[in-house]
Amino acid sequence: MKIEFREFNPFDVWFWIEFNTVPGNMEKQYLEELFDSWFFIGKLGGFNAENLQVQDTGLEVSYMDYDMDNADRSLMALMHNMGEFEYHGTWARCWFDLGTSDAIAIDILINALQQLNKEYVLVERLIIGGENPDWPIEDREDRSLFAHEN
């Protein structure tokens, strides 16, 4: 799976997925469930790089003291909106307002998509940001009108 980045605005970003063939219903379901789950975790503030206490501790976490005050002091990192998935031939796309979620969210999505690609759905390419010239984006003043919230 190839990963590309184009122009990136976290408050208005498209994720483009290219398959090796036209995806069937099962491939679409796997892809959409992955993105829905990722968005739901982001909506709840799960991608907050300021509060990675377990990660920062290392491998030995037995009897670790988790600092709730530290967790409460970190800035909120919430995703705001997710559009509906759209399909066109071998392509899928989905719009997001990633809000204040941290860039770790994109790493986690890429990791999950790589595993999905190995086990369930062959993904040729993930493009983050920008626009495909052969599949233009309609100019929407307020994408949140077309978005769904999980």
Side-chain angles (χ1 to χ4, degrees):
M1 181 174 81
K2 187 175 180 183
I3 308 214
E4 297 176 25
F5 285 83
R6 294 182 180 155
E7 308 84 40
F8 182 80
N9 172 356
F11 302 104
D12 184 15
V13 62
W14 286 88
F15 286 79
W16 303 83
I17 296 95
E18 183 180 21
F19 302 94
N20 65 338
T21 62
V22 174
N25 288 335
M26 188 62 73
E27 289 88 2
K28 290 177 182 179
Q29 181 179 349
Y30 279 132
L31 181 71
E32 291 177 25
E33 285 181 6
L34 170 63
F35 274 86
D36 285 343
S37 299
W38 179 70
F39 174 70
F40 189 64
I41 291 170
K43 187 108 174 124
L44 294 174
F47 304 119
N48 184 347
E50 275 191 41
N51 187 36
L52 297 177
Q53 295 179 49
V54 178
Q55 173 66 30
D56 292 342
T57 297
L59 295 177
E60 186 54 50
V61 296
S62 298
Y63 306 103
M64 174 188 155
D65 287 324
Y66 195 87
D67 185 351
M68 285 306 298
D69 290 332
N70 183 39
D72 289 339
R73 283 190 303 272
S74 68
L75 297 175
M76 288 193 310
L78 307 174
M79 285 187 187
H80 294 243
N81 281 307
M82 173 185 178
E84 297 291 332
F85 259 90
E86 301 172 29
Y87 296 90
H88 180 69
T90 59
W91 284 95
R93 70 182 182 189
C94 192
W95 171 85
F96 286 86
D97 175 350
L98 300 179
T100 57
S101 63
D102 291 318
I104 192 171
I106 295 172
D107 282 319
I108 290 169
L109 176 66
I110 291 170
N111 291 341
L113 274 169
Q114 286 176 324
Q115 194 62 33
L116 184 77
N117 177 54
K118 289 176 186 174
E119 295 192 23
Y120 301 103
V121 179
L122 290 176
V123 175
E124 293 290 321
R125 184 166 41 157
L126 167 67
I127 301 173
I128 299 168
E131 182 174 347
N132 277 0
D134 59 341
W135 191 8
I137 297 167
E138 300 80 30
D139 211 12
R140 296 181 183 159
E141 298 232 352
D142 184 4
R143 291 192 204 286
S144 63
L145 294 175
F146 300 94
H148 74 278
E149 295 186 18
N150 294 353

